[in-house]
Amino acid sequence: MKKFNLFKEIIVVSKSEFLHAANSSKTFAITYNGKIVFEPFDTDLISIYQGSIPALSPLSTTLSRPISSMLGDNYRVVEDDDRILIKASGAWQNIISYNQKRALYDDTTGDGIAEFSDKRLEDIGWHATEFSISYREIVEQFEAQCDGVLLCIEQEEPYQFSGLGFVSDLNQAQELAFEYCAATIKDKLESDEDFSTLTEDEREAAEFFKVL
């Protein structure tokens, strides 16, 4: 997966397209790769901004406003000829709310990953916990082997990490997760004395992964 770190990335947007969207009074989004799209949004949208820019009040003493202020105080915006350059790390909390419902998994809280948004993957993750396989372990397989985007904040001094995960091929992720968990559980059944005798739930999980 491609790591899109908001602390490091600059989003480049066409100035003319941005001004068209800003002046339309319509709800629009700016994607992580700089495209502008209008509602209704696709289910695979990954955005760094969503909203509409209200028109100036008829009572306003100014006839225009700088582009740098249009997205609000949490964005740093610089004009560069026919482009605008956006740093969005200050808007991280808003970006979470824009994308949370579309992400496959959410690793933005101190509690770690609690669930997958896909039902098949959630079934896999739920059964895997019977053998002490965490959601984070499964996600590490996605991040190493799947195409997709990890929309994150990552900082080394001090170290901080938060991310929302999106995979391009859900079927691939499902197969990868199932195969990883099945192989791990098979190994534990063969070599870990803690699983020499199985509880009812452990047996059900082992049967789910077809290792019994």
Side-chain angles (χ1 to χ4, degrees), residues 100-135:
Q100 217 163 22
K101 62 183 177 293
R102 295 187 292 262
L104 178 61
Y105 62 89
D106 177 359
D107 195 13
T108 63
T109 71
D111 298 329
I113 301 165
E115 63 181 342
F116 294 118
S117 61
D118 174 69
K119 184 182 184 305
R120 171 64 174 161
L121 278 172
E122 177 57 21
D123 285 345
I124 291 171
W126 185 82
H127 281 92
T129 59
E130 294 296 334
F131 287 87
S132 303
I133 300 171
S134 69
Y135 283 72

Side-chain angles (χ1 to χ4, degrees), residues 13 23 33 84 128 162 191 209:
V13 180
N23 293 327
N33 52 5
I84 64 170
S162 297
S191 60
F209 288 107

Side-chain angles (χ1 to χ4, degrees), residues 13 33 50 61 82 100 106 115 120 132 140 142 158 165 167 178 183 212:
V13 180
N33 52 5
Q50 286 178 215
T61 57
D82 60 348
Q100 217 163 22
D106 177 359
E115 63 181 342
R120 171 64 174 161
S132 303
E140 285 172 357
F142 302 158
V167 297
F178 188 91
L212 278 185

Side-chain angles (χ1 to χ4, degrees), residues 27-29 37-45 50 102:
T27 298
F28 68 96
V37 295
F38 291 89
E39 285 188 313
F41 300 134
D42 291 339
T43 56
D44 59 353
L45 172 68
Q50 286 178 215
R102 295 187 292 262

Side-chain angles (χ1 to χ4, degrees), residues 1 102-107 143 149-151 163-167:
M1 293 170 69
R102 295 187 292 262
L104 178 61
Y105 62 89
D106 177 359
D107 195 13
E143 293 174 359
V149 174
L150 178 61
L151 184 65
L164 297 170
F166 305 81
V167 297

